Amino acid sequence: MPKPVPMRQMPQIAHVDVNCFYASAERAFDPSLEGRPLVVLSNNDGCAVTRSPEAKALGIATGEPWFKLAPRAKEWGLVAKSSNYELYGDISSRVMELLGRYSAWLEVYSIDEAFLGVKGGPDDLLVLGRRMKEAVRRHVGVPVCVGIAPTKTLAKLCNKWAKNNPAFGGVCLWEAVPADVRELLMTRLPVDEIWGIAGRLTRRLNVLGIFTVQDLVSADPVMIRDKFSVVLMRTVLELRGTPCIPMEEERIGRDQLIFSRSFATPVTTAAGLREVFSVYGQQASARLSKHGLQAKVLTAFAATSPFRDNEQAYPSVCVPLPMPTADPLLLTRAAHALLPNIREGLKYAKAGLMLTDLRPTGNQPPLEPFENRHEERGIGSLLEYVSHRFGRGSIGLGHAGIKSGLDWSMKRGMRSPRYTTHWDELPVVKAA
């Protein structure tokens, strides 16, 4: 019978997460924001989606509407920034590329966090965690925390401890924390702080007397499976140190792709929504092409504001496509099937596309009589390439042609420059 492998020789998982990502990305190019309360706003400058530690100290909650914060912003010294997605996306790419140098096994989990497969003894892993933290801060300019543990769930938990406890110095290794300290920390942490547990599930766990992380660790996994799900049972096992959630090299295999935006100015005509769907259809095409996917079903929808009691409308249409496609012309034409359902004069506040039944490109080649000549020309890939190189709005087809300042486009009146992706917005450094 083989001898058990000591924990220090087993593969470990590092979870690296950028602290207050959007706010940190803003500060990377504007040092004057350091130490000041800062919020980054959602689409159309609606509400706070990211808060710096100083903003949190003021009691500002996630989702707080900007119109409520604005009157006291000067009194608090509060700075607000519109979402700058191009900057954040580029900063994220730089962080992930840098982290990839430290492990051949990197899973980009979201725009601001990643899992890495790592090996080594406790001292080696702590050194590695600190090196990654220092490298990202030095070369990209944003702060990160690192959690290292035998499972993904424990790595996320260690990262949380590293963020909230200065004693860890931003890097927490599960094995380096004494068992009695780990138990104490888990006893103090509410169960809804665990990865994947929130809201309704928390209330159901509370009914069973499970209020803390330690309560869940002590629960019977079989009982958890029977009363909840296999997924939650895996979480319990992961908290006990048994890996149940594998590393994934890609997270692109989605079941659907949704492209939806609220308008800065309501759209009141079918002609206006024709332009909207033309733009969205081509942007969705570019995104599909980027990930090597095609869609078989398109759903187009629009909506008025839910606060207009006498003027509410939520038209939608589901269009089966003749073949799996990422062709912008076919997607746009399918989206335009909603236009006959648009009521002229109503103030539509939002519209979007949902693409489902996604398949890898070329997975099911059509018979020759049904081949799409536009697909062969790679128009979607061309749109993605030109937009990436020269910026969104630099290329368009038909009703989505090159225009600037569209009335309905997203309002971002407090957006910082796109420092890393646009030549005319590059930062300028002056020597004293």
Side-chain angles (χ1 to χ4, degrees):
M1 184 174 179
K3 295 180 180 180
V5 180
M7 181 175 287
R8 67 183 57 196
Q9 296 179 20
M10 292 175 60
Q12 302 281 296
I13 295 176
H15 177 251
V16 183
D17 184 30
V18 182
N19 304 340
C20 304
F21 177 57
Y22 290 177
S24 295
E26 295 287 350
R27 286 174 166 175
F29 289 93
D30 187 353
S32 69
L33 297 175
E34 291 286 351
R36 300 174 64 184
L38 169 67
V39 293
V40 177
L41 305 176
S42 62
N43 293 346
N44 292 315
D45 296 341
C47 58
V49 292
T50 294
R51 306 156 296 149
S52 70
E54 297 81 6
K56 294 176 183 178
L58 290 173
I60 297 173
T62 299
E64 191 84 15
W66 172 241
F67 74 86
K68 290 185 177 181
L69 299 173
R72 301 194 65 184
K74 186 174 181 180
E75 173 191 346
W76 289 336
L78 178 64
V79 180
K81 292 288 185 180
S82 301
S83 296
N84 190 344
Y85 297 119
E86 287 185 64
L87 175 65
Y88 307 151
D90 189 61
I91 292 292
S92 174
S93 297
R94 295 175 185 226
V95 171
M96 301 310 166
E97 188 277 330
L98 183 58
L99 292 177
R101 302 177 190 180
Y102 292 89
S103 175
W105 200 354
L106 172 70
E107 176 189 334
V108 178
Y109 185 72
S110 68
I111 192 172
D112 63 344
E113 59 182 318
F115 293 102
L116 296 87
V118 294
K119 288 183 179 181
D123 293 340
D124 296 330
L125 291 174
L126 279 172
V127 169
L128 177 63
R130 290 171 185 143
R131 285 176 57 197
M132 290 192 292
K133 180 178 182 296
E134 292 165 4
V136 174
R137 183 62 168 172
R138 178 180 179 184
H139 297 293
V140 186
V142 293
V144 301
C145 284
V146 183
I148 305 175
T151 71
K152 280 185 169 181
T153 304
L154 286 177
K156 290 269 285 187
L157 189 62
C158 285
N159 194 303
K160 189 179 294 292
W161 290 344
K163 269 191 173 68
N164 299 326
N165 193 329
F168 289 110
V171 178
C172 177
L173 173 65
W174 175 259
E175 188 180 354
V177 181
D180 58 334
V181 176
R182 294 199 300 248
E183 183 173 341
L184 178 62
L185 290 171
M186 289 193 290
T187 301
R188 294 178 175 178
L189 203 62
V191 70
D192 60 0
E193 294 287 345
I194 300 174
W195 182 30
I197 296 180
R200 185 178 176 184
L201 180 55
T202 301
R203 292 190 289 272
R204 291 179 62 196
L205 288 168
N206 291 166
V207 170
L208 295 178
I210 300 174
F211 294 93
T212 69
V213 175
Q214 185 59 39
D215 291 338
L216 188 59
V217 172
S218 303
D220 178 10
V222 177
M223 180 274 291
I224 292 294
R225 181 199 63 192
D226 293 343
K227 290 187 175 294
F228 296 92
S229 66
V230 172
V231 174
L232 188 56
M233 182 186 74
R234 289 174 184 157
T235 297
V236 175
L237 294 174
E238 287 246 324
L239 288 170
R240 293 182 174 188
T242 302
C244 298
I245 305 174
M247 291 281 287
E248 302 174 26
E249 293 188 6
E250 291 288 348
R251 292 180 53 81
I252 298 173
R254 306 181 183 91
D255 295 325
Q256 63 183 19
L257 185 152
I258 299 177
F259 200 95
S260 176
R261 296 286 187 274
S262 298
F263 306 140
T265 302
V267 177
T268 59
T269 65
L273 282 172
R274 179 186 297 274
E275 180 182 277
V276 170
F277 285 123
S278 297
V279 173
Y280 287 3
Q282 292 175 42
Q283 292 178 350
S285 167
R287 193 170 298 179
L288 284 173
S289 298
K290 178 180 179 181
H291 297 307
L293 295 172
Q294 295 177 322
K296 190 66 173 63
V297 179
L298 179 145
T299 301
F301 57 90
T304 56
S305 170
F307 302 107
R308 294 182 175 275
D309 296 333
N310 300 324
E311 297 183 352
Q312 291 191 9
Y314 306 95
S316 66
V317 63
C318 182
V319 182
L321 299 166
M323 66 194 77
T325 183
D327 176 27
L329 301 183
L330 289 180
L331 296 179
T332 300
R333 191 177 302 152
H336 287 173
L338 180 66
L339 297 178
N341 300 330
I342 298 302
R343 292 162 56 188
E344 296 282 337
L346 286 189
K347 294 183 177 180
Y348 290 93
K350 184 177 183 179
L353 302 178
M354 181 170 67
L355 300 170
T356 52
D357 195 358
L358 303 187
R359 310 171 186 191
T361 300
N363 190 45
Q364 188 179 14
L367 297 175
E368 186 175 348
F370 303 100
E371 288 181 352
N372 177 13
R373 59 189 179 90
H374 298 124
E375 203 91 55
E376 293 177 354
R377 294 175 179 175
I379 296 177
S381 301
L382 175 64
L383 291 174
E384 163 64 18
Y385 171 77
V386 175
S387 297
H388 178 74
R389 182 169 181 180
F390 298 104
R392 184 170 291 179
S394 57
I395 188 171
L397 304 173
H399 293 277
I402 303 173
K403 295 182 179 181
S404 61
L406 298 172
D407 290 340
W408 51 266
S409 59
M410 188 165 59
K411 180 175 67 177
R412 293 191 289 178
M414 294 175 281
R415 178 181 62 77
S416 56
R418 294 161 293 186
Y419 297 104
T420 61
T421 57
H422 287 64
W423 286 107
D424 56 344
E425 297 181 25
L426 289 177
V428 178
V429 179
K430 298 179 179 179

